Amino acid sequence: MSLSQRYLIRCQDADTRWCPCVLADSGSCPVCPVIRGEDSCERCLWQGVCIYEKHLSAGGRMEKRLFRPLQVLRKAEIGPDVYRVVLTMPSEWRFELNRPGGFIIVKPSGADHYSAAPMAIYQSSEDETMSLVFEVKGPKTKKLAQSGAVWDVKGPFCSGLWGARRLQTPQNLRCLVVAAGTGQSLLPAVVRQLLKMDNDLHLVVEAKNNGMVYAVEDLAGLDRRDSALSMQLLMPRSDKPAGSPLADAVREHCYDVLVSLGSDYLHEQVARLRDDQPWAASNNSVMVCGEGICGSCGVVLDNGEHLRGCKVDIPPEFVFGSPGVDSEFEGGPVL
Amino acid sequence: MTTRVAVVGGGWAGCAAALSAAAAGAEVHLFEKTDMLLGAGLVGGIMRNNGRFTAAEEGLLLGGGGELFAVCDQASRHQDVAFPGHQHASLYDVSRIEPLVRDRMKDRAINLHLQTRIVFAEVHQNSIESIHCESGQQFAADVYVDATGTSGPMGNCHRYGNGCVMCIQRCPAFGPRVSLTALAGVEERTAVKGSDAPGAMSGSGKLHVDSLSEKVRTQLQQTGVALVPVPEELINESKLAAKACQQYATSEYASNLVLLDTGHAKLMAPYMPLDQLREVPGLEHARYEDPYAGGRGNSIRFTAIAPRDNHLKVAEVENLFCAGEKAGIYVGHTEAICTGMLAGHNAARLGLKQKLIKLPRNTAVGELIAYGGQQMKTKEGYRNSYTFAGSVFFDRMKDLGLYTTDRQVIEKRLKQQDLIGLLGSELR
Ligand SMILES: Cc1cc2nc3c(=O)[nH]c(=O)nc-3n(C[C@H](O)[C@H](O)[C@H](O)COP(=O)(O)OP(=O)(O)OC[C@H]3O[C@@H](n4cnc5c(N)ncnc54)[C@H](O)[C@@H]3O)c2cc1C
Ligand SMILES: Cc1cc2nc3c(=O)[nH]c(=O)nc-3n(C[C@H](O)[C@H](O)[C@H](O)COP(=O)(O)OP(=O)(O)OC[C@H]3O[C@@H](n4cnc5c(N)ncnc54)[C@H](O)[C@@H]3O)c2cc1C
Ligand code: FES
């Protein structure tokens, strides 16, 4: 991987108070070559701040996100095994969580940290509440569905959408956003961002197995322009896999930007339909600590480099759509 | 009985706090990360505009840190200057002010620790026991004042602005700002920009005077102000929402470049790409002052405000006060001095086991502190900034009858309440 390609991989925490983190402390900062033991700044992946300087002056001290108890204000089963939860939100989290890709890590109050699951922020509001929607899949989400008035929450994180930076600048472009299942939870922030930049949007929302389309109604209020609705729903509900209608849409309209919110399987589909346009895809890494420590979120790049999926923003094309990947592949990141 | 006060941050707020604490009889140590005092005061210069006149006069009468207003007057390049929205401003000379203040601090026996950045605080039972500087050296005091401001650090300027522009904080050289309040474990508050992002971008830049056309230069030197019309196609009003200084967010500032003579040619705009700037007649050869990248952006401020009461004591920490931008969304040198002079005085009071004081709300300074604190308890409050010089607070001063430029009225008001010299006299 060339240095200029490597430049596209960004640490989500480099310009925050959570840098330097344990990765810098252990000599494995993804941004700073000097911290990694190289003898010059030549391969520095500058992100606006000198992490080497921060690392030296921190003298081994670092700030970590810690679980804190937050109140569960409402929990409703909005569909079969699908829950919408409203939590109190520390006010300063809003600025991070209302970005596309903002998420938190949650567990039932007092549960051990293995029970924690990352959850996208569906909506955050000025009255210091945030909501998320989750689907019961296995032990962690089952426990969350049963658990009570308080959750332990860690945050704010903002690496939940790989390629999110690409949504900051495009203006007056045609964008296709595909969301499937609980990937819909990323829709409001993504749509808000793309509309802010006066883009035209087409949405494809796929219900997945439980038939739930929950995000579409909530999007209606987001289009603030006087002109005709710039957001067009191509296919609100489908029992078919995303593949074919998606292909039709992509063939028919020449989109400038693609956004894929759903499983890695969906990302593979989108990757295959994509030409060279910029795209973003939800980050589906398995995450436990969110701090770069546990390694459960590992992503291995073509060049063999190991990265922490929880920490970095990776252009999705580095992970999805490699030639030779079995098109039926449906699993974790394509390594 | 003696007491030791440590002031962290040597901007206007820290200097005023140190002078008040010293006047009250404390042994005072001031810690500043850079090699100069005054912080953002090294690039500003505008004093006494609008309601700041009233506040400066009150400060001089209250004493303590208020004596800094006399130093500013002494360093004025221009007095009684008017520019859009502003009356009777003084402009101090940014290249002469710092040594004058430093001398004053030494005269008052304040121990200055320059190039000493505080990076750690030892906290025990809600009290700060000691602070540590970057070199590892430790320092213990009875009472602390956080006057570290809110500019930067580079991460904030990058995440919420256009990146580090090498402002006067000079983080790359002297290290980033570190908040003592945060080190003490207190959760800080942040202002909210128009577009719903944290903090606000500073609203003025600095041009090299010699790079301006002779006409503009002469006008600046003679009157202190130059209004340079911006060609129609360059006018971009959308930039206004991001500015810290709502008082300068009017369309007059969008259709003209307002320049002020502070030693620099102070440009009353958050930033402007150099190529655009050079399209303005009179500024064809303009350049920004070194090393500042004024064409790219400006510093981000107001992301780290301490919760506090009207004594300016920080919530949850027994022996910590705050001043300047740390104490509220306060824009300005005058505001920093006014909050600093009370914080330093109360720090000495706490150390000497005396009752803390508030300033009454029928003074401009007392009202600023109380109103700013009150606004921090509301959501909307974080969308405004507060200054004697304009916007909501100046309107409020006028409504309450607090704004006046009549020195006798101000003196009478303070005398009636026994406030003359209150912050300048030694406590026993
Ligand atoms: C950034 C991010 C945001 C997410 N947002 C949402 C959301 O808004 N709503 C929602 O329903 N789900 C969301 N998820 C997925 C959610 O975290 C998992 O469904 C959950 O952890 C499953 O745990 P389980 O024990 O119930 O199921 P398991 O039986 O353990 O696993 C079921 C599936 O979830 C995946 N998974 C398991 N553990 C994790 C983990 N720790 N982190 C990520 N994936 C895991 C597995 O690979 C498997 O595909 C998000 C995941 C990430 C990484
Ligand atoms: C470009 C610009 C122009 C301005 N122009 C004007 C103007 O013309 N008129 C006006 O009234 N106002 C102006 N202002 C606003 C005004 O300068 C500020 O609001 C005011 O000076 C803030 O003072 P302060 O003491 O609270 O903070 P600062 O001036 O920011 O001072 C904080 C000090 O603390 C130091 N510090 C930070 N952390 C540490 C640490 N851990 N250890 C030791 N030291 C530390 C910093 O180096 C700094 O010197 C301007 C601001 C800017 C940025
Ligand atoms: S989730 Fe633990 S290292 Fe990424």
Side-chain angles (χ1 to χ4, degrees), chain B residues 254-331:
Chain B
S255 45
N256 291 291
L257 287 184
V258 180
L259 298 177
L260 300 176
D261 175 25
T262 61
H264 302 139
K266 182 179 168 83
L267 170 67
M268 303 300 283
Y271 67 95
M272 194 163 177
L274 189 65
D275 288 344
Q276 285 180 21
L277 195 67
R278 288 183 176 179
E279 282 173 38
V280 178
L283 277 66
E284 292 87 348
H285 305 286
R287 57 170 293 184
Y288 287 94
E289 280 281 357
D290 267 347
Y292 152 74
R296 277 199 53 164
N298 213 322
S299 52
I300 293 294
R301 292 175 21 232
F302 301 109
T303 52
I305 299 161
R308 49 82 177 171
D309 61 20
N310 290 344
H311 304 119
L312 297 179
K313 198 189 81 61
V314 175
E316 300 164 44
V317 186
E318 300 299 329
N319 61 345
L320 178 62
F321 291 80
C322 63
E325 293 184 357
K326 185 75 10 196
I329 312 175
Y330 292 134
V331 183

Side-chain angles (χ1 to χ4, degrees), chain A residues 170-187:
Chain A
Q171 238 175 341
N172 300 315
L173 298 181
R174 261 167 313 176
C175 310
L176 177 70
V177 184
V178 193
T182 49
Q184 290 174 78
S185 284
L186 283 86
L187 266 178

Side-chain angles (χ1 to χ4, degrees), chain A residues 10 12-13 15-16 47-50 53 57 61 68 90 92 94-96 98-99 126-128 158 196, chain B residues 117 119-120 134 154-156 158-160 164 172 175-176 187-188 190-192 196-198 379-380 383:
Chain A
R10 320 268 296 185
Q12 69 149 338
D13 283 341
D15 50 6
T16 71
Q47 278 187 226
V49 293
C50 174
E53 186 281 332
S57 67
R61 279 188 292 269
R68 57 159 95 186
E92 73 280 8
R94 176 158 54 99
F95 304 116
E96 300 303 323
N98 66 12
R99 296 168 183 246
E126 278 204 49
D127 64 3
E128 292 173 20
C158 58
K196 192 161 97 186
Chain B
R117 189 165 72 113
V119 295
F120 189 69
E134 209 168 3
M154 292 170 282
N156 284 345
H158 181 256
R159 203 166 180 86
Y160 308 123
C164 171
E187 204 163 285
E188 296 185 291
T190 171
V192 182
D196 213 22
K379 250 203 186 75
E380 269 317 297
R383 294 190 175 274

Side-chain angles (χ1 to χ4, degrees), chain A residues 51-122:
Chain A
I51 296 177
Y52 184 55
E53 186 281 332
K54 284 214 225 185
H55 168 66
L56 288 182
S57 67
R61 279 188 292 269
M62 63 188 105
E63 215 178 317
K64 287 185 195 146
R65 296 170 175 92
L66 301 173
F67 278 110
R68 57 159 95 186
L70 294 181
Q71 216 139 13
V72 177
L73 300 170
R74 281 189 296 282
K75 186 163 69 187
E77 189 165 3
I78 59 171
D81 273 345
V82 179
Y83 290 81
R84 180 169 178 169
V85 178
V86 182
L87 293 153
T88 53
M89 174 179 65
S91 62
E92 73 280 8
W93 285 16
R94 176 158 54 99
F95 304 116
E96 300 303 323
L97 293 183
N98 66 12
R99 296 168 183 246
F103 71 96
I104 52 180
I105 295 182
V106 299
K107 63 183 178 68
S109 176
D112 63 52
H113 58 269
Y114 309 113
S115 313
M119 291 289 162
I121 295 304
Y122 180 52

Side-chain angles (χ1 to χ4, degrees), chain A residues 127-138:
Chain A
D127 64 3
E128 292 173 20
T129 62
M130 56 187 168
S131 68
L132 48 88
V133 177
F134 73 91
E135 191 185 337
V136 174
K137 291 198 175 129

